[in-house]
């Protein structure tokens, strides 16, 4: 692990790596649009747009789904809003963000005027967190706010819940971004549970449900911390359609459908990994997420992104993640045919580069 100092564009996201006409492997949203039954729920909710939104049904749905008290719950305008609320409301002189990970949590802290330290996990350690680093005074032992993703974007690493739980201390808040946790069958490493002390867990409906444009997510955590977030949340920030979507996605039907999608994802991811391995490419670490982080250094030391775009594929660049560089690309898991096609394109690049 290192402090990973160095500047990257924290606001770069996969949508900026996509261009018209390309097969989109850069954005990790599972569906181009919500399924018809969910679209109907959204359409029905439009009838109420004349009234200001009431988050109560969403609070009840989240609380029921996760078996926690309503005061432990806050619906948000996507997971992204939660990062801003944390940056504004959770005190701490020494926040640390565990990288490589989604960069908005750090961007939100910086925007709130906070000085942020980085704990950069290393490839040699499988991008795995060693919780002892947060116990040693010389390393990150003095941090009072830790932000970590689980499973992690872009590495796909699923940290053990126990390794994250032990990061908590009396004078430290631990924020776990679980935006992709609903893509993990059974969610065994989620930190949502009976003991939420010192914890804030952030969830998103965006990825599994094809709702990036809606802005729906939520926080589950320590009621005192959740109350602090609530105190800085703008009024009516979660729209009536987002409230309706939260209720629907966390219903028994929604949870069962997400679980089935998570199981199907595991099969599709295995195909992608097999195809990549057949053309000599490896991933950073075992992925539990709807994407894999691929090491393309065997194809040269420049990014393969532009060459892949010429072959029809948009992939997420690695160099805007602290701790990674241009020879890493992140690929979304799609259907087997698409996985075979992108692996074949990467194989073509290898041959072209070896001939040149
Ligand atoms: C790891 C991670 N967390 C949170 C978010 C934000 O999701 P939302 O659309 O719910 O704001 C993203 C979006 O890309 C993400 O990749």
């Amino acid at each position: 692990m290192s402090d990973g100092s160095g500047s990257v564009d924290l606001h770069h996201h996969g949508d900026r790596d996509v261009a018209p006409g390309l097969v989109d492997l850069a954005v990790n949203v599972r569906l181009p649009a919500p399924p018809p039954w969910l679209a109907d729920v959204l359409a029905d909710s439009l009838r109420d747009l004349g009234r200001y939104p009431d988050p109560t049904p969403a609070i009840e749905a989240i609380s029921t789904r996760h078996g926690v008290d309503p005061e432990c719950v806050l619906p948000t305008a996507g997971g992204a809003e939660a990062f801003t609320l944390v940056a504004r409301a959770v005190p701490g002189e020494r926040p640390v963000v565990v990288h490589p990970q989604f960069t908005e949590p750090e961007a939100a802290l910086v925007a709130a005027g906070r000085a942020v330290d980085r704990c950069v996990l290393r490839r040699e350690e499988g991008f795995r967190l060693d919780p002892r680093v947060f116990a040693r005074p010389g390393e990150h032992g003095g941090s009072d706010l830790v932000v970590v993703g689980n499973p992690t974007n872009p590495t796909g690493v699923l940290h053990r819940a126990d390794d994250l739980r032990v990061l908590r201390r009396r004078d430290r808040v631990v924020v776990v971004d679980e935006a992709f946790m609903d893509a993990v069958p059974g969610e065994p490493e989620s930190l949502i549970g009976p003991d939420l002390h010192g914890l804030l867990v952030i969830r998103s409906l965006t990825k599994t449900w094809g709702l990036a444009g809606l802005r729906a997510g939520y926080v589950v955590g320590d009621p005192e911390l959740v109350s602090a977030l609530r105190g800085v949340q703008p009024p009516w920030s979660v729209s009536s359609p987002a409230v309706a979507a939260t209720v629907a996605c966390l219903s028994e039907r929604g949870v069962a459908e997400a679980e089935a999608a998570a199981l199907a994802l595991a099969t599709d991811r295995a195909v992608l990994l097999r195809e990549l391995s057949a053309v000599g490419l490896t991933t950073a670490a075992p992925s539990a997420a709807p994407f894999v982080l691929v090491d393309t250094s065997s194809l040269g030391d420049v990014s393969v992104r532009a060459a892949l775009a010429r072959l029809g594929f948009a992939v997420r660049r690695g160099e805007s993640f602290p701790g990674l560089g241009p020879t890493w690309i992140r690929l979304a898991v799609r259907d087997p045919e698409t996985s075979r096609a992108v692996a074949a394109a990467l194989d073509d690049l290898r041959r072209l580069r070896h001939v040149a």
Side-chain angles (χ1 to χ4, degrees):
M1 296 185 210
S2 75
D3 71 353
S5 45
S7 77
V8 292
D9 176 4
L10 295 176
H11 291 299
H12 185 94
H13 301 303
D15 52 350
R16 279 173 40 199
D17 287 333
V18 184
L22 300 185
V23 176
D24 176 7
L25 301 176
V27 176
N28 289 316
V29 176
R30 180 174 71 100
L31 305 167
W37 68 267
L38 183 53
D40 287 347
V41 169
L42 293 171
D44 278 352
S45 76
L46 300 185
R47 280 198 272 267
D48 287 336
L49 283 190
R51 278 189 279 145
Y52 281 96
D54 172 10
T56 312
I59 293 170
E60 282 166 4
I62 299 163
S63 149
T64 304
R65 155 72 180 100
H66 292 290
V68 296
D69 289 340
E71 64 267 28
C72 300
V73 162
L74 183 68
T76 56
E81 187 192 28
F83 301 134
T84 301
L85 303 182
V86 166
R88 290 191 189 145
V90 178
E93 300 295 312
R94 293 174 304 278
V96 174
V97 177
V98 179
H99 283 291
Q101 79 145 311
F102 186 55
T103 44
E104 282 301 327
E106 178 169 322
L109 285 161
V110 171
R114 318 271 297 261
V116 181
D117 269 347
R118 291 177 180 167
C119 169
V120 180
L121 309 183
R122 290 156 51 93
R123 192 250 166 92
E124 299 74 41
E125 287 149 17
F127 293 110
R128 238 165 222 296
L129 180 76
D130 177 354
R132 289 172 299 184
V133 166
F134 284 88
R136 294 179 194 133
E139 293 177 276
H140 296 294
S143 57
D144 44 18
L145 170 60
V146 178
V147 186
V148 58
N150 205 37
T152 311
N153 174 9
T155 61
V157 168
L158 182 66
H159 298 295
R160 282 183 292 267
D162 284 345
D163 284 348
L164 301 182
R165 252 186 230 111
V166 298
L167 300 182
R168 288 180 301 173
R169 285 195 332 212
R170 197 180 41 78
D171 53 355
R172 180 189 288 157
V173 173
V174 175
V175 177
V176 186
D177 175 6
E178 293 190 358
F180 288 100
M181 191 59 94
D182 60 351
V184 180
E187 304 186 1
E189 309 300 340
S190 173
L191 255 63
I192 300 180
D195 176 14
L196 292 168
H197 186 71
L199 266 182
L200 288 169
V201 178
I202 295 171
R203 305 285 290 238
S204 170
L205 301 186
T206 292
K207 319 293 182 176
T208 292
W209 294 107
L211 291 176
L214 184 66
R215 316 308 307 132
Y218 56 94
V219 178
V220 175
D222 186 320
E224 254 182 59
L225 296 168
V226 169
S227 164
L229 301 191
R230 198 178 293 117
V232 297
Q233 186 177 40
W236 310 297
S237 104
V238 179
S239 67
S240 322
V243 170
T246 305
V247 172
C249 295
L250 300 185
S251 66
E252 272 181 34
R253 175 191 188 158
V255 173
E257 204 168 302
E259 180 71 7
L263 290 166
L265 164 73
T267 308
D268 288 345
R269 187 176 50 230
V271 173
L272 175 60
L273 291 171
R274 218 172 30 243
E275 294 295 327
L276 290 170
S277 154
V279 299
L281 291 170
T282 55
T283 53
S287 171
F291 47 80
V292 298
L293 181 64
V294 185
D295 178 1
T296 64
S297 56
S298 64
L299 300 179
D301 53 11
V302 295
S303 173
V304 294
R305 221 165 43 81
L308 271 181
R310 284 193 290 278
L311 295 173
F313 296 93
V315 301
R316 172 64 160 94
R317 70 188 64 192
E319 59 268 34
S320 64
F321 288 105
L324 300 182
T327 57
W328 291 101
I329 54 169
R330 192 193 67 200
L331 300 181
V333 176
R334 304 282 191 229
D335 58 280
E337 200 187 322
T338 307
S339 295
R340 275 190 279 279
V342 74
L346 283 158
D347 200 30
D348 285 348
L349 288 188
R350 181 188 302 285
R351 268 187 266 116
L352 286 174
R353 288 190 177 185
H354 282 153
V355 170

